[in-house]
């Protein structure tokens, strides 16, 4: 049977949330100079010490991937953070539409959904190749809202989801161990804003992961998340944990 790793850094995530919640800072706090950021947005340039490459097209991302193959880069970095995954998906969709000179992805590669299939195949293959070089991939996304209905009723409610495309999310969801939601909440006692990280799904937002015992609604910081994940791993059946060298 498969064993559970006790190495917190080995678990992959997709983090999404409201603007300026500190999503990029979260990963920099977690991995420091062992992470290289594929920056499809310019916001991360305000974080001193962060290392990354600007990505403005799918072609740029392919050049970035080629650099990741270099032995000296592999020795320098262990983590790739895609910031944001939303824009990367847009770049790939634009690349495919330009390739076939069509306005809609569904019309690419002869139509009948072939363009959607090509999008999935290219994205999954590319990300799997990066992982094969020895990197752990993490994804950053913005939050978007959708109206949902309570099953069996006409009652509607708002729910937060990652803003990446549906096809992109299908790929990312298969790859990550956790979908995390960052939110600026109001402390009921102090009435002050506080940054909160949610690890489990509710009617209000999508979230979830591989460990049922992980705490949710924790302070939004790398330290708090690592502690909660470590505690959740410790609550697993000891017989299922890997014997790992410290």
């Amino acid at each position: 049977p498969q064993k559970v790793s006790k190495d917190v850094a080995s678990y992959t995530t997709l983090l999404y949330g409201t603007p300026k919640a500190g999503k990029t800072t979260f990963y920099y706090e977690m991995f420091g100079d062992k992470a290289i950021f594929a920056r499809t947005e310019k916001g991360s340039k305000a974080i001193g010490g962060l290392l990354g490459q600007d990505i403005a097209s799918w072609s740029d991302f392919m050049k970035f991937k080629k650099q990741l193959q270099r032995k000296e880069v592999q020795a320098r970095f262990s983590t790739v953070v895609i910031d944001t995954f939303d824009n990367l998906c847009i770049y790939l969709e634009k690349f495919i539409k330009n390739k076939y000179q069509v306005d809609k992805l569904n019309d690419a590669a002869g139509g009948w959904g072939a363009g959607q299939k090509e999008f999935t195949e290219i994205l999954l293959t590319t990300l799997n190749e990066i992982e094969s070089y020895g990197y752990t991939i993490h994804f950053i996304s913005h939050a978007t809202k959708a109206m949902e209905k309570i099953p069996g009723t006409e009652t509607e409610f708002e729910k937060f989801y990652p803003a990446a495309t549906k096809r992109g999310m299908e790929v990312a969801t298969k790859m990550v161990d956790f979908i995390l939601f960052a939110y600026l909440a109001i402390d009921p006692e102090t009435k002050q804003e506080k940054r909160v990280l949610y690890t489990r799904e509710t009617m209000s937002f999508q979230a979830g992961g591989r460990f049922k015992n992980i705490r949710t609604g924790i302070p939004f910081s790398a330290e708090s998340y690592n502690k909660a994940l470590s505690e959740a791993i410790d609550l697993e059946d000891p017989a299922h944990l890997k014997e790992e060298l410290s």
Side-chain angles (χ1 to χ4, degrees):
Q2 182 169 302
K3 295 287 187 176
V4 175
S5 174
K6 292 186 281 187
D7 179 10
V8 171
S10 69
Y11 292 97
T12 56
T13 60
L14 183 147
L15 170 65
Y16 77 107
T18 49
K20 308 303 179 185
K23 298 182 290 293
T24 304
T25 301
F26 173 81
Y27 284 115
Y28 182 62
E29 288 177 352
M30 188 176 297
F31 300 111
D33 61 7
K34 294 300 290 181
I36 185 167
F37 287 71
R39 301 185 300 213
T40 69
E41 295 185 353
K42 296 181 179 180
S44 63
K45 289 188 175 181
I47 302 173
L50 182 146
L51 299 170
Q53 177 68 46
D54 291 337
I55 307 294
S57 66
W58 185 253
S59 176
D60 283 350
F61 191 66
M62 290 298 95
K63 293 174 184 175
F64 174 72
K65 182 175 80 79
K66 188 172 183 179
Q67 292 298 312
L68 295 176
Q69 291 179 266
R70 294 167 53 191
K71 295 298 182 183
E72 61 269 32
V73 177
Q74 293 175 5
R76 177 74 175 77
F77 301 103
S78 59
T79 301
V80 172
V81 181
I82 299 176
D83 185 8
T84 64
F85 185 54
D86 312 359
N87 283 352
L88 186 66
C89 291
I90 291 171
Y91 296 157
L92 176 54
E93 184 170 322
K94 184 177 180 180
F95 168 79
I96 295 171
K97 289 190 293 186
N98 287 343
K99 174 182 174 181
Y100 293 101
Q101 298 184 336
V102 296
D103 295 324
K104 296 180 179 179
L105 190 59
N106 277 334
D107 296 332
W112 301 97
Q116 297 279 2
K117 182 180 179 183
E118 184 168 336
F119 175 97
T120 299
E121 290 176 348
I122 291 175
L123 183 60
L124 185 60
T125 299
T126 301
L127 296 176
N128 282 340
E129 285 178 355
I130 292 174
E131 284 191 331
S132 76
Y133 304 155
Y135 302 100
T136 301
I137 303 176
H138 295 267
F139 305 89
I140 294 176
S141 178
H142 292 300
T144 189
K145 292 180 181 178
M147 295 304 299
E148 303 284 354
K149 285 186 178 181
I150 296 176
T153 76
E154 292 301 312
T155 304
E156 292 188 326
F157 61 94
E158 272 190 338
K159 186 168 185 174
F160 284 104
Y161 290 96
T165 64
K166 180 181 178 181
R167 281 281 177 173
M169 282 304 300
E170 287 174 355
V171 171
T173 301
K174 293 175 183 176
M175 296 187 68
V176 300
D177 297 299
F178 291 93
I179 296 176
L180 306 172
F181 177 56
Y183 190 68
L184 292 175
I186 303 296
D187 189 307
E189 295 181 1
T190 65
K191 307 301 181 184
Q192 299 294 312
E193 277 191 342
K194 62 177 183 178
R195 296 181 180 187
V196 182
L197 185 67
Y198 296 97
T199 62
R200 291 201 298 270
E201 186 139 3
T202 72
M203 286 182 63
S204 299
F205 48 80
Q206 181 182 9
R210 301 204 184 277
F211 298 114
K212 62 181 180 181
N213 293 312
I214 190 168
R215 290 184 289 115
T216 192
I218 60 177
F220 181 33
S221 70
E223 182 181 3
S224 294
Y225 171 71
N226 285 337
K227 181 179 179 182
L229 180 52
S230 181
E231 290 171 351
I233 293 171
D234 287 341
L235 290 172
E236 291 291 302
D237 185 337
H240 297 161
L241 297 177
K242 281 184 181 179
E243 291 295 331
E244 294 173 317
L245 297 175
S246 58

